[in-house]
């Protein structure tokens, strides 16, 4: 007999497999099992489920105890071996000197032993969620893993997520299934993050939803997130096995069926669904022993005593001290007394967790700050805040201007009658810059802003926003993260937390974790004897580490760092940043309301410049006539609860957690003075793409990806001259991008993934040939150095030919000449003849086709040069600002890769957008910037940056992509070449333009482009 032990993060499962030759155990022994009656396995073996236990953070004690119990009950002489699996299985196997089996292998072995017809496995465990896709190794052979996806380091879609929410409602997780079955409808709950789910649950309770309806919404949220974030858009092949302890919850089982649209026959909840990893481990132990030829009793049993001494040692950080933290709180003087009903300015920052008010006089002195919880009711909170201001100041002040920012800026801006509505970056930058000048005398260059559910990073150069990042749908590294853990430990987040953390001599090194997993880590450490003081200090470090790793992500951190937002009231977190970074951290005065202060200052500057009357509707919101409607956004798996406010025929929105789908476009009133250059360029390419539809030598498919956006005029003329018809793949869309991502074998940059999708589209269209040239370099007038294309671009045809499922078709159809455009025409002919000669094409035909190609490419180049010269002249004549787009052609002109940012810059901000290839950069020598820039695009990009030098109304936006090796090197030379700060936008396939447009808005605003009123 063999025992399988699955040691997960939350639970411990034991199973027993008895071989056909093993005797049947006595009834007294089997009655102690979870399943006294066995499940029959292939070959006549019998499987029993022994036990299921919650670990409660103490595996070192519970695993040996349970193992000893079962060895004693069954009899050591009957047990031939023990195998461990699961997340903690490897560690326990090592400590107990036992065998370990991979958890994927065990799970598949257990599932397929019970159900041979399963082709997809959905696992939802405590901290782990998986999709495993199976296929037969051969006709009638064993099933093997074809593909899989996991949840990574986020708890959404796991049992821990449900556990935590049930605990918040004071319910046992076992009660949820029955309660959900009684619910007629469901509340909408965010499925991406525990912290956001908690907010939604509170709001649902306030709206009158019953606990059953909230729990049903929670189960649906888990299922939606499993589908979008773990299954990742792939179609699960029936039959689907649901395994893992979470499927004990009938509400989750039903939600998974509904979300995926499974029929009853498509899905199965197997016998032992929570224990199949342990069953598989026991089966593999039996098979391994048989293969080793071991006799019964030959394998020594693992150590099954109590916990060994000396195990519970905790890695630690240095003690937290504040000697390298500069607190500016004590430098603030009392505001001056009010005389003669002065003009004052109001800033309102409406966030997801807090709403902040800042009332300033004309000199920027803070007369009053208010920091309150938003509680999902921004209109109510702002109404109460304005009433409080009226009760304190009344007729003693006169509101001259109002500004709003934050996630509710449009809604509240319309409601109160704001004079300016700005993004959070601009607001925080403005407030921080003002405070640094007044109280510190040194310009801030880095801002860490950590709020309740939002965290932001802002990088400044000479007052210009050059980089920005914020947390996605994860609250780790935010104030709510700390509040969750402090609540768990019974500690007040204000005062007591920091006091305890700063008293610790050995803060626990807990790393970065999702807030749900961190709660489990706290349980584990507490059970192992860690002190609360050391845990609290470790949490201060953790929030700083989470912020740096999940938000900053390797971006440049300057020397004058401001730490602001509500979390900056916690001195222990500021101290943690100093230890991790080795730099001074400055906590400014009024750190919780700096965004509101910035908006008050922006409102002041605007109304003074325009001399217009304020739009402020007054302190009594009861006099404002508006209509309110609630609905659910279904744009992604979050299913956000939205509020629509209609005032004077204008709709504004609140509640969108994940995008700016319901945000108003920022309009400046400015109009471009030049034509839409990217659109004219696209029209040129489109006219070429439809010119030829047939050819006597067959149809060549040309992927609309990578160097297509630069070389298509050449290759189109070349191929048509040879008698080929050219079929270009469709424009990039979500389906093409998704298929490309699924087809890539390695993890290349996003444009390479997109190229895979375009190839798939052409193969489906049945083209005769697939044209993907292996282009090594480009022609250039600067012959002192090389002009290479990137390695991924060079090797793309070979990568495509290795895609599983494509190999045969691609290799049959692929036309992939090795091309060196720097070489002479004679060598170019030979390179192309190697590819096209076997198709009956002569060298003479190739020579003529090359010349046709160069003719078309020069015609295209002349078009770009002429339109570019006209645009530059028009901008200079009008004295207007211009945005210069630099980057690779496939990043600049694939509208779906760059989320159409170039068009949005023109449409929303009136920007005069001039891409790099409309500029006269070929003649610019960059050797004083870099004397060996051997990347072809690198030389052009640096040359364009140099062209911008000494042109103060020209502003660079560098459009690049995640994982671009050459660009990560090239970008370091842009500011040296241009002499001015620039903005870099890095695209990675995410479909939300909110962050990118916010960066653009803040960058252009900080350079004065959007403040038209400051120039009047």
């Amino acid at each position: 007999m063999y025992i399988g032990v699955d040691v997960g993060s939350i639970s411990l499962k034991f199973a027993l497999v008895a071989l056909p030759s093993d005797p049947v155990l006595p009834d007294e022994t089997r009655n102690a099992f979870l399943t006294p009656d066995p499940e029959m396995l292939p070959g006549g073996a019998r499987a029993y489920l022994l036990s299921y236990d919650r670990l409660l953070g103490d595996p070192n004690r519970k695993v040996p105890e349970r193992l000893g119990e079962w060895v004693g009950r069954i009899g050591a002489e009957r047990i031939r071996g023990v195998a461990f699996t699961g997340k903690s299985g490897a560690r326990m196997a090592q400590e107990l000197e036992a065998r370990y089996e991979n958890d994927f292998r065990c799970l598949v072995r257990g599932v397929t032993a019970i159900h041979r017809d399963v082709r997809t496995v959905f696992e939802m465990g405590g901290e782990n969620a998986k999709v495993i896709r199976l296929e037969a190794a051969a006709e009638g052979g064993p099933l093997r893993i074809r593909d899989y996806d996991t949840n990574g380091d986020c708890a959404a879609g796991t049992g821990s997520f449900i556990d935590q929410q049930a605990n918040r409602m004071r319910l046992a997780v076992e009660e949820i299934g029955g309660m959900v079955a009684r619910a007629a409808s469901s509340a909408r709950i965010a499925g991406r993050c525990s912290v956001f789910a908690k907010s939604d649950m509170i709001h649902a309770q306030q709206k009158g939803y019953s606990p059953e309806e909230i729990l049903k919404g929670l189960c649906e949220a888990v299922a939606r997130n499993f589908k979008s974030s773990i299954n990742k858009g792939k179609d699960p092949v029936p039959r689907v096995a649901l395994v893992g302890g979470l499927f004990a919850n009938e509400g989750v089982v039903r939600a998974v069926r509904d979300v995926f649209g499974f029929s009853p026959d498509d899905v199965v909840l197997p016998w032992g669904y929570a224990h199949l990893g342990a069953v598989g481990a026991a089966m593999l132990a039996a098979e391994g022993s048989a293969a080793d030829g071991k006799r019964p009793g030959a394998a020594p049993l693992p150590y099954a005593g109590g916990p060994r001494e000396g195990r519970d040692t905790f890695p630690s950080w240095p003690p937290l001290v504040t000697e390298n933290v500069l607190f500016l709180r004590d430098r603030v003087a009392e505001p001056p007394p009010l005389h003669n009903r002065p003009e004052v300015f109001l800033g309102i920052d409406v966030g997801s967790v807090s709403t902040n008010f800042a009332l300033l006089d004309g000199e920027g002195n803070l007369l009053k700050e208010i920091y309150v919880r938003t509680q999902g009711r921004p209109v109510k909170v702002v109404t109460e805040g304005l009433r409080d201001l009226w009760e304190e100041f009344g007729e003693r002040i006169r509101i001259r201007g109002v500004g709003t920012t934050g996630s509710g800026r449009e809604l509240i801006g319309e409601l109160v009658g704001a004079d300016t509505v700005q993004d959070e970056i601009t607001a925080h930058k403005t407030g921080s810059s003002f405070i640094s000048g007044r109280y510190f005398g040194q310009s801030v260059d880095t801002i860490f802003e950590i709020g309740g559910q939002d965290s932001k990073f802002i990088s400044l150069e000479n007052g210009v926003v050059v980089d920005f990042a914020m947390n996605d749908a994860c609250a780790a590294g935010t104030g709510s993260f700390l509040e969750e853990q402090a609540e768990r430990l019974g500690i007040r987040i204000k005062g007591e937390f920091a006091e305890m953390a700063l008293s610790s001599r050995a803060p626990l090194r807990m790393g970065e974790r999702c807030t749900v997993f961190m709660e489990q880590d706290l349980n584990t450490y507490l059970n192992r004897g860690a002190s609360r003081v050391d845990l609290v200090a470790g949490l201060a470090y953790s929030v700083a580490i989470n912020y740096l790793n999940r938000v900053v992500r390797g971006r440049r951190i300057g020397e004058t760092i401001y730490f602001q937002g509500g979390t900056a009231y916690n001195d222990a977190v500021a101290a943690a940043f100093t230890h991790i970074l080795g730099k001074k951290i400055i906590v400014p005065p009024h750190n919780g309301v700096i965004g509101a202060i910035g908006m008050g200052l922006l409102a002041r500057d605007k109304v003074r410049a325009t001399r217009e009357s304020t739009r402020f509707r007054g302190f009594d919101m009861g006099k404002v006539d508006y209509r309110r409607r609630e609905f659910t956004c279904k744009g992604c798996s979050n299913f956000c609860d939205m509020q629509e406010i209609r005032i004077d025929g204008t709709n504004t929105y609140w509640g969108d957690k994940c995008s700016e789908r319901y945000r108003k476009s920022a309009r400046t009133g400015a109009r471009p003075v030049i034509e839409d250059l990217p659109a004219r360029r696209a029209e040129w390419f489109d006219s070429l793409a439809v010119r030829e539809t047939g050819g006597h030598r067959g149809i060549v498919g040309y992927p609309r990806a990578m160097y297509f956006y630069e070389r298509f005029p050449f290759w189109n003329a070349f191929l048509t001259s040879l008698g080929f018809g050219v079929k270009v793949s469709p424009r990039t869309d979500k389906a093409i991008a998704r298929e490309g991502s699924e087809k890539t074998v390695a993890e290349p940059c996003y444009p390479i993934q997109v190229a895979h999708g375009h190839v798939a589209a052409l193969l489906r269209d049945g083209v005769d040939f697939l044209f993907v040239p292996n282009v090594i370099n480009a022609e250039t007038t600067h012959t002192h150095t090389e002009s290479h294309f990137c390695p991924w671009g060079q090797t793309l045809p070979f990568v495509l030919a290795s895609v599983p499922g494509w190999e045969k078709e691609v290799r049959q159809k692929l036309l992939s000449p090795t091309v060196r455009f720097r070489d002479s025409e004679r060598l170019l002919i030979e390179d192309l003849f190697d590819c096209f000669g076997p198709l009956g094409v002569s060298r003479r035909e190739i020579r003529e086709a090359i010349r046709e190609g160069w003719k078309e490419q020069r015609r295209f180049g002349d078009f770009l040069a002429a339109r570019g010269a006209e645009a530059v002249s028009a901008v200079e004549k009008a004295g207007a600002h211009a945005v210069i787009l630099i980057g690779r052609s496939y990043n600049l002109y694939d509208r779906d890769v760059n989320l159409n940012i170039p068009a949005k810059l023109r449409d929303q901000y009136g920007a005069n957008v001039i891409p790099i290839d409309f500029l006269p950069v070929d003649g610019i020598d960059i050797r004083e910037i870099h004397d060996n820039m051997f990347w072809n695009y690198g030389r052009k990009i640096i040359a364009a940056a140099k062209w911008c030098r000494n042109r103060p109304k020209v502003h660079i936006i560098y459009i690049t992509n995640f994982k671009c090796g050459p660009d990560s090197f090239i970008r370091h030379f842009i500011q040296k070449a241009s002499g001015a700060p620039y903005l870099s936008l890095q695209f990675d396939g995410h479909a939300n333009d909110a962050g990118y447009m916010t960066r653009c808005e803040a960058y252009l605003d900080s350079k004065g482009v959007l403040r038209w009123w400051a120039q009047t």
Side-chain angles (χ1 to χ4, degrees):
M1 297 181 182
Y2 296 86
I3 290 178
V5 187
D6 184 353
V7 190
S9 51
I10 300 298
S11 60
L12 169 65
K13 286 82 66 178
F14 277 78
L16 178 72
V17 170
L19 300 182
S21 58
D22 290 327
V24 176
L25 293 169
D27 290 348
E28 180 182 357
T29 301
R30 288 187 290 110
N31 286 338
F33 297 173
L34 274 181
T35 58
D37 297 323
E39 176 77 8
M40 298 307 296
L41 301 177
R46 308 181 301 280
Y48 299 88
L49 310 183
L50 300 182
S51 57
Y52 179 99
D53 300 286
R54 293 273 178 149
L55 287 169
L56 300 177
D58 196 10
N60 290 340
R61 180 179 63 84
K62 293 214 168 195
V63 174
E65 280 184 0
R66 262 302 191 191
L67 180 59
E69 176 189 340
W70 289 120
V71 169
R73 282 181 179 273
I74 297 167
E77 71 284 357
R78 292 192 178 104
I79 299 173
R80 307 184 190 191
V82 177
F84 284 78
T85 190
K87 185 170 184 179
S88 302
R91 181 176 66 84
M92 294 307 304
Q94 182 178 7
E95 292 196 7
L96 299 177
E97 300 170 4
R99 178 190 188 119
Y100 170 75
E101 295 287 352
N102 175 272
D103 55 332
F104 280 82
R105 198 165 165 243
C106 291
L107 187 60
V108 171
R109 190 72 184 89
V111 170
T112 56
I114 307 296
H115 291 282
R116 278 284 303 171
D117 58 345
V118 164
R119 291 298 177 269
T120 306
V121 178
F122 284 0
E123 183 192 26
M124 290 188 179
E127 286 190 7
N128 299 310
K130 304 185 187 79
V131 177
I132 304 176
R133 304 172 186 91
L134 306 176
E135 64 181 2
E139 188 66 32
L143 294 174
R144 65 183 182 187
I145 296 175
R146 174 176 60 83
D147 186 18
Y148 69 89
D149 286 295
T150 66
N151 63 310
D153 57 1
C154 177
T158 69
S160 298
F161 183 83
I162 292 280
D163 269 3
Q164 190 183 67
Q165 314 317 316
N167 183 59
R168 285 169 175 162
M169 298 180 73
R170 305 293 188 265
L171 294 170
V173 71
E174 292 78 12
E175 299 176 64
I176 293 178
M179 293 180 69
V180 169
R182 297 193 297 270
S185 61
S186 60
R188 290 297 181 184
I189 306 295
R192 293 294 300 280
C193 179
S194 163
V195 173
F196 299 151
K198 178 181 179 181
S199 298
D200 283 355
M201 289 165 67
I202 291 170
H203 301 158
Q205 287 170 333
Q206 292 168 343
K207 293 175 183 177
Y209 284 100
S210 69
E212 289 82 359
E213 291 169 328
I214 292 172
L215 289 170
K216 185 175 183 181
L218 191 63
C219 293
E220 291 172 352
V222 168
R224 289 196 309 270
N225 189 73
F226 188 91
K227 182 178 182 181
S228 64
S229 299
I230 301 170
N231 191 59
K232 298 176 182 175
K234 299 175 183 177
D235 294 327
V237 178
R239 220 176 175 198
V240 179
L242 307 181
V243 302
L246 186 53
F247 287 113
N249 182 334
E250 177 59 30
V252 175
V253 174
R254 188 179 294 112
V256 168
R257 287 173 176 161
D258 292 345
V259 165
F260 281 91
F262 290 142
S263 71
D265 293 334
D266 287 340
V267 64
V268 60
L269 186 66
W271 172 88
Y273 56 86
H275 287 73
L276 289 177
V279 171
M283 294 180 69
L284 290 171
E287 292 163 8
S289 294
D292 294 339
K294 291 184 178 179
R295 300 181 310 279
L301 289 178
Y303 172 79
R308 295 177 177 178
E309 294 298 320
R311 289 183 184 178
D312 293 337
T313 57
F314 306 119
S316 62
W317 289 99
L320 290 166
V321 293
T322 58
E323 62 184 23
N324 211 21
V325 180
L326 178 61
F327 298 102
L328 299 181
R329 302 164 186 157
D330 300 331
R331 300 190 184 187
V332 181
E334 289 293 319
L338 301 176
H339 297 294
N340 302 322
R341 199 166 177 255
E343 290 183 344
V344 297
F345 304 88
L346 177 62
I348 307 175
D349 183 354
V350 186
S352 54
V353 171
S354 68
T355 294
N356 313 316
F357 299 78
L359 191 67
L360 311 175
D361 66 14
E363 300 302 315
N365 297 305
L366 185 64
L367 305 177
K368 178 71 175 179
E369 66 174 281
I370 299 176
Y371 183 96
V372 294
R373 296 280 181 169
T374 305
Q375 297 180 329
R377 299 180 174 182
V379 174
K380 180 176 181 288
V381 168
V382 170
T383 299
E384 293 172 352
L386 291 174
R387 185 173 62 241
D388 292 345
L389 289 173
W390 171 255
E391 290 174 355
E392 181 169 347
F393 294 95
E395 294 290 348
R396 294 189 299 139
I397 58 173
R398 179 163 52 94
I399 298 290
R400 178 69 180 87
V402 179
T404 59
T405 190
S407 55
R409 61 184 183 262
E410 285 96 3
L411 183 149
I412 296 304
E414 195 64 41
L415 189 67
V416 304
D419 299 291
T420 184
V421 177
Q422 299 272 182
D423 63 276
E424 300 96 315
I425 311 174
T426 299
H428 281 280
K429 186 268 297 186
T430 302
S432 298
S433 298
F434 175 79
I435 287 174
S436 67
R438 171 168 284 195
Y439 298 110
F440 192 57
Q442 184 173 339
S443 297
V444 58
D445 58 20
T446 304
I447 297 172
F448 293 171
E449 198 274 331
I450 304 182
Q453 292 184 3
D454 297 320
S455 296
K456 304 176 188 70
F457 167 81
I458 305 171
S459 178
L460 306 170
E461 289 184 16
N462 302 322
V464 176
V465 175
V466 295
D467 203 359
F468 162 77
M470 68 182 296
N471 64 314
D472 299 318
C474 175
T478 68
S480 294
F481 173 89
L482 279 185
E483 284 195 40
E484 287 280 324
Q485 312 315 324
E487 181 182 330
R488 167 71 185 84
L489 294 168
I491 296 168
R492 295 188 309 276
I493 191 66
K494 291 184 178 179
E496 186 180 7
F497 187 104
E499 184 179 332
M500 290 182 67
L502 292 170
S503 69
S504 168
R505 304 271 50 90
L508 262 68
R509 190 182 287 262
M510 300 170 73
E512 56 168 324
R513 295 275 271 167
C514 162
T515 182
V516 176
F517 297 158
M518 188 63 78
E519 182 171 314
Q520 293 161 8
D521 289 348
L522 288 177
N523 287 333
T524 300
Y525 284 122
L526 286 170
N527 286 321
R528 292 171 61 190
S531 73
R532 287 201 312 164
V533 168
D534 293 341
L535 281 170
V536 169
L539 286 171
Y541 270 110
S542 288
V543 77
I545 293 168
N546 268 308
Y547 174 82
L548 293 171
N549 289 346
R550 296 170 185 264
V551 180
V552 180
R553 296 183 180 181
R555 291 175 168 85
R556 185 188 68 84
I557 296 174
E559 298 303 319
T560 306
I561 306 168
Y562 269 33
F563 177 31
Q564 56 200 51
T567 306
Y569 288 117
N570 192 319
D571 295 351
V573 178
F577 275 122
T578 67
H579 283 287
I580 296 168
L581 297 174
K583 296 186 177 188
K584 179 180 289 185
I585 297 293
I586 301 167
V587 180
H590 322 300
N591 53 270
V593 298
I594 286 182
I597 290 173
M599 286 316 304
L601 295 168
L602 289 165
R604 179 196 67 179
D605 295 345
K606 182 177 181 181
V607 298
R608 284 181 173 177
T610 61
R611 300 181 181 179
E612 295 177 352
S613 298
T614 181
R615 296 178 61 244
F616 183 52
R617 299 178 189 272
F619 289 97
D620 188 356
M621 290 292 99
K623 296 179 179 179
V624 179
D625 184 20
Y626 67 90
R627 286 184 293 170
R628 180 170 170 269
R629 176 178 76 93
E630 295 187 359
F631 66 97
T632 299
C633 169
K634 298 182 180 179
C636 74
S637 65
N638 263 341
F639 279 39
C640 301
D641 280 332
M642 301 294 299
Q643 297 179 28
E644 176 188 83
I645 305 293
R646 187 172 182 83
I647 306 173
D648 297 334
T650 300
N651 292 337
T652 53
Y653 300 89
W654 158 267
D656 192 8
K657 297 180 181 68
C658 39
S659 74
E660 294 199 355
R661 180 174 182 174
Y662 294 99
R663 294 278 178 89
K664 291 180 181 177
S665 299
R667 303 284 178 178
T668 64
R671 294 288 180 268
V673 300
I674 64 174
E675 63 180 326
D676 189 341
L677 296 179
R680 300 294 84 77
R681 190 185 192 277
E683 289 167 2
W684 182 288
F685 269 56
D686 288 344
S687 68
L688 296 179
V690 300
R691 188 177 297 174
E692 290 289 338
T693 58
H696 67 273
R697 279 189 162 126
I699 302 297
V700 171
Y702 196 148
R704 193 189 295 259
M706 296 298 290
Y707 307 126
F708 165 88
Y709 291 97
E710 180 178 346
R711 295 286 171 175
F712 182 59
F714 176 90
W715 289 118
N716 184 64
F718 173 83
L719 292 168
T720 54
S721 295
L722 293 180
F724 292 98
V726 178
K727 182 176 183 59
V728 178
S729 58
R731 288 194 178 91
T732 306
D733 57 23
K734 289 182 180 179
I736 284 176
R738 182 173 60 248
E739 185 171 13
S741 176
E742 293 171 358
K743 289 292 186 184
T744 48
V745 178
E747 294 187 6
C749 64
Y750 185 54
I752 292 289
Q753 294 179 29
V754 169
H756 281 67
H758 282 279
V759 169
L762 290 170
L763 293 177
R764 272 195 303 274
D765 282 344
V767 293
D768 300 311
F769 302 101
L770 178 67
F771 184 67
V772 186
N774 169 220
V775 182
I776 305 300
N777 56 32
E779 70 283 3
T780 177
T781 56
H782 302 273
T783 56
H784 61 275
T785 188
E786 290 292 338
S787 52
H788 289 297
F789 287 107
C790 82
W792 273 111
Q794 291 181 9
T795 58
L796 178 59
F798 310 109
V799 172
L800 292 170
S802 301
V803 173
W806 279 0
E807 304 101 319
K808 185 175 181 181
E809 184 177 10
V810 168
R811 288 171 184 170
Q812 286 176 345
K813 295 183 175 182
L814 185 63
L815 298 177
S816 178
T818 298
V819 178
R820 299 171 181 83
F821 281 115
R822 283 176 66 108
D823 290 352
S824 65
E825 182 183 88
R826 180 180 61 81
L827 294 176
L828 190 57
I829 291 170
E830 292 304 314
D831 284 339
L832 292 169
F833 183 74
D834 288 342
C835 175
F836 290 96
L839 300 178
V841 180
S842 67
R843 287 183 174 82
R844 181 184 60 79
E845 288 177 292
I846 290 174
R847 180 186 302 108
E848 294 305 316
I850 288 173
R851 291 174 181 176
E852 287 299 315
W854 283 128
K855 185 190 300 182
E856 189 63 34
Q857 194 73 29
R858 280 192 295 271
R859 194 167 74 89
F860 175 60
D862 292 343
F863 161 77
L864 295 178
R867 293 298 180 93
E870 292 172 8
V872 170
S873 176
V875 166
E876 292 177 345
K877 184 177 179 180
H881 292 274
V883 172
I884 305 300
L885 298 182
I886 62 175
R888 298 161 188 274
S889 59
Y890 44 85
N891 285 327
L892 295 183
Y893 299 116
D894 190 326
R895 286 173 279 184
D896 290 271
V897 167
N898 63 32
L899 303 180
N900 209 18
I901 295 296
K904 291 171 184 175
L905 290 170
R906 177 182 176 88
D907 295 342
Q908 296 185 20
Y909 305 129
N912 294 296
V913 177
I914 305 177
I916 180 174
D917 50 2
F918 287 86
L919 298 177
V921 300
D922 284 342
I924 297 176
D925 193 336
I926 65 164
R927 273 179 280 190
E928 76 277 15
I929 308 298
H930 195 289
D931 61 0
N932 187 29
M933 179 49 64
F934 50 78
W935 300 117
N936 180 58
Y937 278 119
R939 188 198 61 75
K940 291 182 177 181
I941 288 167
I942 294 173
K946 186 176 177 182
W947 181 90
C948 296
R949 195 177 189 88
N950 300 322
R951 288 180 164 91
K953 287 198 169 185
V954 163
H955 315 286
I956 297 175
I957 296 181
Y958 190 166
I959 295 183
T960 182
N961 57 269
F962 185 56
K963 291 187 178 179
C964 182
D967 275 5
S968 67
F969 172 72
I970 294 163
R971 62 185 300 178
H972 293 290
F973 301 95
I974 303 304
Q975 188 162 342
K976 181 180 178 182
S978 66
Y982 71 98
L983 175 67
S984 177
L985 300 178
Q986 189 178 80
F987 292 87
D988 57 5
H990 290 123
N992 179 8
D993 69 353
Y996 298 110
M997 292 308 296
T998 301
R999 288 179 180 87
C1000 292
E1001 184 177 332
Y1003 170 70
L1004 296 175
D1005 182 89
S1006 60
K1007 296 201 77 177
V1009 178
L1010 303 185
R1011 298 191 193 185
W1012 56 267
W1013 41 266
Q1015 303 164 30
T1016 58

